[in-house]
Amino acid sequence: MTSLDKPTEETQAEDAPQHDARAVTEAALFEAFGGVRGMVETVLPGLLFVTIFTVNKDLHWSAIAALAVSVVLVVVRLAMRDTVKHAFSGVFGVAFGVVFAMMTGNAKDFYLPGMLYTLGLALAYIVTTLCGVPLIGLILGPVFKENLSWRTRNPGRKKAYAKASWAWGLILLAKCAILFPLYWWANTAQLGWVLVALKIPPFLLAVWLTWVFLAKAPAPIDVFAEMEAAEKAAEEKQTAAEAAGARHRREG
């Protein structure tokens, strides 16, 4: 390697902030969306339901198995003292599906609440972006410790959140465009296997696009650090004022 090929200190200094921003973005997305374990907890109940139903066509056993594995996942999380928000969301989603399917007697209705939720979420991403408050920014703002500072103080970051929210909304709408016709035309097993197959790839695509947009965006403004700095400055000012008052009294 020649001297021209070697990275200079200036180049390394320029690359370091970009690397840090990407690392922070990856960590935040992993925390917000649950990572590999969260994906497993999302897929497993539906996979178990469609597998059992494909074998024996028994709605009750399929529903009970799906709900049971969701509860087990929550218990495991609790036992490990880990965050349970992803597992709990899975339990509620499966429970709604089970109740709905039991009420109608139609096994396909096990999937309907989740499909309606996906459609509602897609519309939420699009509508909030059109209103200037992209949903992905509301989700990730607290994770990045910036809260809503990106709305007024960080226009580049707001633009990235808008792009990411558009990506999520359109990807989820495309998913709904596949699933809802199948709900009417396909049987339960066909719908179930397609739904399982569409659980992870669209999600990974949306997360990847979010990472691309945010990795190129300006760094988040750490409002928590700002508040701590302001409190510390106020305490130091108060301490200095008290010391000055005490000195003035001694001199007087």
Side-chain angles (χ1 to χ4, degrees), residues 204-237:
L204 290 180
L205 176 59
V207 170
W208 178 75
L209 288 174
T210 302
W211 178 83
V212 169
F213 296 139
L214 292 182
K216 296 179 180 179
I221 299 171
D222 191 336
V223 295
F224 295 104
E226 288 183 344
M227 289 187 291
E228 291 176 358
E231 291 176 359
K232 184 177 181 181
E235 291 175 357
E236 291 176 350
K237 184 177 181 180

Side-chain angles (χ1 to χ4, degrees), residues 149-248:
S149 62
W150 50 268
R151 288 196 62 201
T152 55
R153 300 172 57 190
N154 205 338
R157 199 155 180 87
K158 180 179 179 180
K159 185 177 180 180
Y161 280 139
K163 290 180 179 179
S165 290
W166 273 113
W168 279 92
L170 294 177
I171 288 170
L172 292 179
L173 277 182
K175 181 178 176 179
C176 290
I178 297 172
L179 293 178
F180 276 96
L182 287 176
Y183 174 79
W184 296 108
W185 301 334
N187 60 42
T188 302
Q190 292 170 337
L191 173 62
W193 286 114
V194 171
L195 197 148
V196 168
L198 289 179
K199 277 282 186 180
I200 301 301
F203 172 80
L204 290 180
L205 176 59
V207 170
W208 178 75
L209 288 174
T210 302
W211 178 83
V212 169
F213 296 139
L214 292 182
K216 296 179 180 179
I221 299 171
D222 191 336
V223 295
F224 295 104
E226 288 183 344
M227 289 187 291
E228 291 176 358
E231 291 176 359
K232 184 177 181 181
E235 291 175 357
E236 291 176 350
K237 184 177 181 180
Q238 182 178 358
T239 301
E242 291 174 352
R247 185 169 58 254
H248 178 73

